[in-house]
Amino acid sequence: MSLSDSDVHGVRVSATVTIPAGEIEFRASRSGGPGGQHVNTSSTRVELTWNAVRSTALTGEQRALLLATLHAKLDTDGSLRVVVSDTRSQQQNRAIAEERLAALVHHGLLVRKARKKTKPGRAAVERRIASKKKQGAKKKTRRFSGDE
């Protein structure tokens, strides 16, 4: 059996970040759900665990950003868990799990642009107020006057 590229080097997240293979823990288990006899006997479900707090792949700034963005997906130890049981092949599920891990970490490391507060222009405010006055006048003409 030959080792794949990700087994030797790790999971490439971006041009600057690669998670070493030694930091990723894999565990295979039996898939749940309906199926034939094959499903009940083979361990094709893959669970991948990576600890973001203890990782050497990240700088301190990247780690802080990742922990802030992915805080809902991390457990109390700071580990990120990806579970895949999409296919009947353990190797394919492992490859999918690595891709999902890379996508999660890549998304977590993106720096968002700060939102600039804006105010509506004077013309827009005037149009809004004119529209409100027109609507109010329309409703005023519909009212019952009581003089008749």
Side-chain angles (χ1 to χ4, degrees), residues 11-39:
V11 177
R12 187 179 176 117
V13 175
S14 66
T16 57
V17 178
T18 301
I19 301 171
E23 293 183 4
I24 301 171
E25 184 182 316
F26 287 97
R27 191 167 68 221
S29 59
R30 292 183 179 175
S31 293
Q37 293 170 339
H38 174 73
V39 170

Side-chain angles (χ1 to χ4, degrees), residues 6-56:
S6 64
D7 291 340
V8 177
H9 302 294
V11 177
R12 187 179 176 117
V13 175
S14 66
T16 57
V17 178
T18 301
I19 301 171
E23 293 183 4
I24 301 171
E25 184 182 316
F26 287 97
R27 191 167 68 221
S29 59
R30 292 183 179 175
S31 293
Q37 293 170 339
H38 174 73
V39 170
N40 300 330
T41 58
S42 60
S43 299
T44 57
R45 177 179 178 263
V46 172
E47 184 177 325
L48 176 147
T49 310
W50 174 66
N51 193 310
V53 174
R54 287 185 265 138
S55 178
T56 58

Side-chain angles (χ1 to χ4, degrees), residues 2-148:
S2 65
L3 294 173
S4 69
D5 192 38
S6 64
D7 291 340
V8 177
H9 302 294
V11 177
R12 187 179 176 117
V13 175
S14 66
T16 57
V17 178
T18 301
I19 301 171
E23 293 183 4
I24 301 171
E25 184 182 316
F26 287 97
R27 191 167 68 221
S29 59
R30 292 183 179 175
S31 293
Q37 293 170 339
H38 174 73
V39 170
N40 300 330
T41 58
S42 60
S43 299
T44 57
R45 177 179 178 263
V46 172
E47 184 177 325
L48 176 147
T49 310
W50 174 66
N51 193 310
V53 174
R54 287 185 265 138
S55 178
T56 58
L58 303 172
T59 64
E61 186 179 295
Q62 289 174 330
R63 185 174 291 108
L65 180 63
L66 191 70
L67 294 176
T69 21
L70 297 180
H71 70 277
K73 296 184 185 296
L74 299 173
D75 63 6
T76 55
D77 299 333
S79 295
L80 185 62
R81 197 171 135 241
V82 178
V83 179
V84 178
S85 59
D86 294 355
T87 67
R88 289 184 178 180
S89 165
Q90 189 182 106
Q91 276 185 320
Q92 287 177 346
N93 283 339
R94 183 175 173 152
I96 293 168
E98 288 176 347
E99 288 172 13
R100 288 185 187 169
L101 173 71
L104 274 169
V105 174
H106 180 73
H107 180 72
L109 290 175
L110 292 177
V111 179
R112 273 74 175 176
K113 273 191 347 186
R115 181 184 175 274
K116 292 181 182 176
K117 292 184 179 179
T118 59
K119 289 194 326 187
R122 186 189 305 173
V125 171
E126 288 174 2
R127 279 193 305 270
R128 187 181 122 263
I129 291 172
S131 168
K132 287 171 67 99
K133 288 188 184 232
K134 183 178 175 184
Q135 189 70 14
K138 186 192 306 182
K139 290 185 174 226
K140 193 173 188 177
T141 61
R142 295 179 186 163
R143 286 190 193 144
F144 177 70
S145 63
D147 291 341
E148 297 175 13

